């Protein structure tokens, strides 16, 4: 949990604790368990993610879903139209996000083409219902394809030789990918998250090779450190 996450969650917990205390002392009579109170477990984490995470798509969808369900529980909207509107809305949001990111993908595509023309292919690693570790100790790294489905994959580049910009394509579905990079490289992410998240704990290094991490993350996570 990064610094901003910790501060925001701390404030949320303090507010909840104060409300419980005021109710216990009969100073206030705030009904914490109102109709649809459980939707806050969707709304609050996703709302915090909008301010603390780089990729906003999954969190934006989560806030929308949570607010819609809350309105249904409050009888402001009808549950009968939930699936009629919810699924199309999610599809439209994801589609718009993919279009925007598609316009920004030109540089990474050029890097992949250049590396391929130089004979430097991208290796592929996958983990399905299991765990997998890929290490590049002492090897020249020019990119990779990483896939985790109902499993975990660790890509260790800390002892790899990274001489130029490269691309890592990631796909996660109900799984997780950990990417460990050496301290001298830059990392830029362009990952679409749907009920998932990406965490980039690296620092910016001007003039160093850049690793571009692209892909999709659904009900999973990607962590770079």
């Amino acid at each position: 949990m990064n610094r901003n996450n910790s501060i925001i969650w701390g404030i949320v917990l303090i507010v909840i604790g104060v409300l419980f205390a005021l109710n216990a002392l009969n100073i206030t009579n705030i009904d914490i368990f109102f109709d649809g109170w459980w939707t806050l477990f969707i709304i609050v984490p996703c709302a915090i993610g909008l301010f603390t995470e780089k990729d906003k798509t999954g969190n934006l969808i989560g806030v929308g879903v949570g607010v819609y369900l809350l309105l249904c529980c409050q009888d402001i909207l009808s549950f009968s139209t939930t699936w009629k509107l919810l699924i199309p809305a999610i599809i439209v949001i994801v589609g718009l996000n993919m279009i925007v990111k598609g316009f920004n993908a030109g540089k990474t595509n050029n890097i992949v083409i250049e590396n391929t023309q130089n004979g430097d292919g991208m290796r592929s690693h996958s983990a399905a219902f299991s765990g997998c570790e890929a290490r590049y100790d002492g090897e020249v790294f020019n990119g990779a394809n990483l896939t985790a489905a109902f499993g975990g994959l660790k890509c260790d580049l800390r002892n790899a030789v990274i001489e130029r910009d490269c691309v890592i394509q990631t796909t996660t579905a109900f799984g997780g990918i950990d990417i460990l990079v050496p301290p001298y490289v830059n990392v830029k992410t362009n990952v679409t998250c749907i009920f998932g998240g990406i965490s980039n704990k690296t620092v910016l290094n001007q003039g160093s090779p850049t690793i571009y991490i692209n892909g999709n993350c659904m009900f999973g996570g990607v962590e770079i450190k």
Side-chain angles (χ1 to χ4, degrees):
M1 182 180 292
N2 59 37
R3 180 174 177 269
N4 291 335
N5 254 332
S6 179
I7 292 173
I8 294 175
W9 275 111
I11 293 172
V12 170
L13 292 176
I14 289 172
V15 171
I16 293 173
V18 169
L19 288 177
F20 274 113
L22 292 175
N23 283 347
L25 296 172
N26 295 320
I27 298 175
T28 61
N29 187 25
I30 299 174
D31 186 8
I32 298 176
F33 298 103
F34 53 87
D35 291 340
W37 63 271
W38 52 269
T39 60
L40 295 180
F41 288 103
I42 302 174
I43 297 172
V44 173
C46 292
I48 292 175
L50 288 175
F51 296 97
T52 59
E53 297 179 10
K54 292 184 178 180
D55 190 273
K56 314 296 184 183
T57 307
N59 291 309
L60 185 61
I61 293 174
V63 170
V65 171
V67 170
Y68 183 84
L69 293 175
L70 177 60
L71 294 176
C72 289
C73 292
Q74 294 289 322
D75 293 327
I76 298 175
L77 296 177
S78 173
F79 273 111
S80 62
T81 59
T82 298
W83 294 112
K84 294 179 182 179
L85 297 178
L86 182 60
I87 295 178
I90 292 175
I91 293 174
V92 170
I93 292 173
V94 173
L96 290 173
N97 187 69
M98 292 178 68
I99 290 173
V100 172
K101 290 191 174 183
F103 284 112
N104 297 326
K107 181 175 180 62
T108 58
N109 289 337
N110 292 335
I111 293 173
V112 173
I113 293 172
E114 181 182 346
N115 288 346
T116 301
Q117 290 175 342
N118 292 333
D120 303 320
M122 297 172 61
R123 289 165 56 180
S124 298
H125 308 277
S126 60
F129 297 96
S130 62
C132 175
E133 182 175 1
R135 302 183 67 93
Y136 286 82
D137 293 349
E139 299 181 42
V140 176
F141 180 76
N142 293 297
N145 292 295
L146 307 178
T147 303
F150 295 94
L153 194 157
K154 178 180 178 181
C155 181
D156 193 342
L157 305 176
R158 289 175 295 182
N159 296 316
V161 179
I162 303 176
E163 301 172 330
R164 57 187 177 187
D165 294 351
C166 53
V167 179
I168 297 179
Q169 300 284 357
T170 64
T171 302
T172 58
F174 298 94
I177 296 177
D178 292 330
I179 303 174
L180 310 180
V181 301
Y184 61 84
V185 300
N186 290 316
V187 176
K188 293 186 178 181
T189 62
N190 187 26
V191 178
T192 299
C193 299
I194 303 174
F195 295 106
I198 180 169
S199 172
N200 182 6
K201 298 180 179 179
T202 62
V203 297
L204 180 64
N205 296 289
Q206 296 290 346
S208 300
T210 299
I211 300 177
Y212 295 89
I213 299 179
N214 300 335
N216 299 287
C217 177
M218 179 178 294
F219 292 99
V222 177
E223 184 172 5
I224 307 106
K225 53 187 177 181

